[in-house]
Structure formats: structure tokens, C-alpha cells
Amino acid sequence: MNLNILTKREKEVFEFLILSKSTKEIALILNITEITVRSHISNVIGKLGVSSRTQAILELLRHNVIKIDK
């Protein structure tokens, strides 16, 4: 699994997801639309070959792509 294919923005979205931010909150923080946030989430799920955002979070944490200490 090549985790270097994730964009900076995709990583940012998931860093906020692990902080329990909602799609709406992430959109406001990053100054993007909720649709864009959902697109980033879907893109990461597809790139990682998993079936949910929870599985994506676990994979990203396991491979140290994102960290909880933000």
C-alpha cells in the first residue's frame, strides 16, 4: 500500500476526523465545502482500498501517516 499518494489536504481532513470533528466543522476550519470534505474522505477510502472512514483512519494511524497528538 503506497500511502505517499495521499495529498496534504486529504491528510488534514483525516487529522480532523480523528479529533472527532464533523464534516461541517472540517469544512469551516479548512474553508472548503462539505462536499469537498466528503470527496477527500471518499478519495482516501478508495486509495487505501478500505470500505469505511474508520478503516481508513486505522490504516493511516497504523502507518503513521496521521497522528493523534495534534
Side-chain angles (χ1 to χ4, degrees):
M1 178 184 315
N2 182 4
L3 298 171
N4 293 325
I5 58 174
L6 271 57
T7 67
K8 179 183 175 197
R9 185 63 98 187
E10 289 168 343
K11 291 176 190 176
E12 286 176 326
V13 167
F14 274 83
E15 286 171 347
F16 285 115
L17 285 175
I18 63 172
L19 296 173
S20 299
K21 300 292 184 192
S22 69
T23 303
K24 185 174 188 169
E25 290 172 316
I26 296 169
L28 289 170
I29 292 165
L30 297 177
N31 198 30
I32 57 178
T33 68
E34 287 182 65
I35 293 168
T36 302
V37 173
R38 288 189 187 100
S39 292
H40 287 311
I41 294 167
S42 294
N43 290 342
V44 171
I45 289 170
K47 288 177 180 182
L48 298 179
V50 296
S51 58
S52 71
R53 64 174 65 185
T54 301
Q55 286 179 323
I57 289 168
L58 291 174
E59 282 300 304
L60 294 173
L61 287 169
R62 188 165 67 102
H63 293 284
N64 295 316
V65 176
I66 59 174
K67 296 185 177 18
I68 296 176
D69 61 6
K70 198 164 193 184

